[in-house]
């Protein structure tokens, strides 16, 4: 029997659905998930020894590819010194300094172990700092699986919180309002109705959890104005986009489009850990002073700022700052998406693409969607056939049409060419 199938059968006995995070189970696309045995540069290898060009990169962290020598060396040497002390270490300070240097809106950061934790803490901080309860998020944006954020759009601007998960009491989501992404009118109406009660607006500036949808600059600018006017905080969830779409993250890009633009609180994860469990949230010194031990907003973690994880994250951040890194990564990613668009055009398949830095999305539709409802009109059958066609040809794309893709610095021109050759066959 196929070893992936055998492992999956074994896994399902002892782990719910056989996986430790749902999307890995291939439920959306069908078929057997590949059990990965190792990674090397742009490639991962499954339990059958088959090689795949990896466009998931652990959902974003592996911006240098797998097993980058400098990162590996940093991790091994940190591990020799000790795995965890539960006491402050110098590398935490270095990592904080590095993040602050690259992201000017952030004057202080707190390190945590997952994006979920960082997002959840950012909300608590925003509520603590403003003394308000209500939060606004957008349909299709994912901010981790904290109770208050697992909410779907209600039937109107006055209806708060319907949870997308069992086990979340209605009381816990009653303060969460979900609006349509890129809809300026809705956010204006929401502030007109609830402005004085809103603690924060949280957004994925380039939404990677509905494939790849950019927040339009006028939309971001309007949210910024409304937050400032009403005393609410603007939270940029850059867990996916941070140090991935550019050296200064998505806020660097919006800063060029909107003069003087800054979010109030930023959330990071994925790339800052380089593949280790590490995430962070940061803001101005004033806002961060609300956190314990200085202020009244409690937040803590046994493994927070873990010495091995910070070594991995630091080595990764240092590599991506080398001259020309993002130019080269952006060009490689462009080569991929432009190539996919050309192949789709040859075959008369409705198709659109977008990319920024090392993050990309493609859609089986003529025009780029602007919100979640449009993303979800994708022809799922067609996507699934394309996905499996690519997988069988040794190209590992995200197993769901609402996930972004990632290119690493280890992807070569030849890897892109091989991917496009596979796409040519799959799209036929
Ligand atoms: C991945 C992700 C999270 C959650 O991070 P975890 O480390 O999986 O908990 C939060 N927000 C965004 C935008 C993400 O992409």
């Amino acid at each position: 029997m196929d070893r992936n199938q055998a492992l999956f059968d074994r896994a399902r006995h002892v782990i719910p659905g056989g996986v430790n995070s749902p999307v890995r189970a291939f439920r959306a696309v069908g078929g057997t998930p590949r059990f990965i045995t190792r990674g090397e540069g742009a490639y991962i290898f499954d339990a059958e020894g088959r090689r795949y060009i990896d466009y998931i990169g652990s959902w974003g962290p592996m911006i240098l590819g797998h097993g980058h020598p400098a990162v590996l060396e940093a991790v091994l040497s940190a591990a020799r010194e000790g795995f965890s002390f539960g006491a402050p270490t110098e590398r935490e300070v270095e990592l904080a300094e590095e993040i602050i240097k690259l992201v000017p809106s952030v004057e202080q950061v707190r390190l945590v172990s997952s994006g979920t934790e960082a997002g959840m803490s950012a909300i608590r901080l925003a509520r603590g700092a403003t003394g308000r309860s209500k939060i606004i998020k957008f349909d299709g944006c994912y901010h981790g699986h904290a109770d208050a954020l697992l909410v779907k759009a209600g039937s109107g601007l006055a209806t708060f919180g319907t949870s997308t998960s069992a086990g979340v009491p209605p009381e816990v989501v009653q303060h969460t309002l979900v609006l349509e992404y890129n809809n300026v009118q809705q956010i204006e109406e929401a502030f007109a109705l609830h402005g004085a009660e809103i603690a924060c607006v949280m957004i994925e500036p380039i939404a990677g959890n509905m494939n790849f949808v950019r927040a339009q600059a006028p939309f971001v600018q309007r949210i910024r104005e409304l937050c400032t006017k009403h005393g609410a905080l603007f939270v940029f969830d850059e867990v996916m986009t941070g140090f991935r779409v550019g050296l200064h993250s998505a806020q660097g890009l919006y800063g060029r489009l909107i003069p003087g633009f800054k979010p109030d609180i930023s959330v990071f994860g994925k790339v800052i850990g380089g593949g280790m469990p590490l995430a962070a949230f940061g803001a101005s010194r004033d806002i961060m002073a609300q956190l314990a031990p200085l202020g009244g907003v409690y937040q803590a973690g046994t493994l927070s700022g873990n010495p091995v994880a910070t070594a991995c994250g630091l080595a990764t951040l240092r590599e991506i700052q080398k001259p020309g890194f993002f130019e080269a990564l952006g060009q490689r990613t462009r080569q991929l998406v432009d190539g996919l668009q050309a192949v789709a055009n040859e075959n008369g398949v409705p198709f659109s693409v977008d990319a920024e830095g090392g993050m990309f999305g493609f859609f089986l539709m003529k025009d780029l969607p602007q919100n979640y409802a449009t993303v979800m009109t994708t022809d799922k059958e067609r996507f699934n056939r394309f996905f499996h066609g690519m997988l069988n040809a040794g190209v590992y794309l995200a197993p769901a049409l609402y996930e972004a893709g990632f290119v690493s610095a280890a992807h070569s021109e030849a890897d892109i060419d091989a991917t496009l050759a596979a796409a040519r066959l799959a799209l036929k």
Side-chain angles (χ1 to χ4, degrees), residues 169-223:
E171 294 77 10
V172 176
V173 292
Q174 65 181 340
H175 298 299
T176 309
L177 181 60
V178 181
L179 303 180
E180 190 176 70
Y181 200 70
N182 278 325
N183 188 328
V184 173
Q185 196 190 331
Q186 274 197 4
I187 188 87
E188 284 178 346
E189 286 172 14
F191 268 97
L193 274 172
H194 311 290
E197 299 161 89
I198 294 167
C200 67
V201 177
M202 191 170 200
I203 195 171
E204 274 186 86
I206 298 175
N209 290 286
M210 47 172 149
N211 195 329
F212 186 110
V213 183
R214 288 173 198 265
Q216 300 301 316
F219 178 60
V220 173
Q221 183 168 13
R222 193 68 189 120
I223 300 173

Side-chain angles (χ1 to χ4, degrees), residues 114-117 142-145 204 209 237-240 270:
S114 74
T116 292
E117 227 188 318
Y142 179 68
H143 305 294
H145 62 89
E204 274 186 86
N209 290 286
D237 180 350
E238 300 232 40
V239 172
M240 192 179 282
K270 299 195 168 105

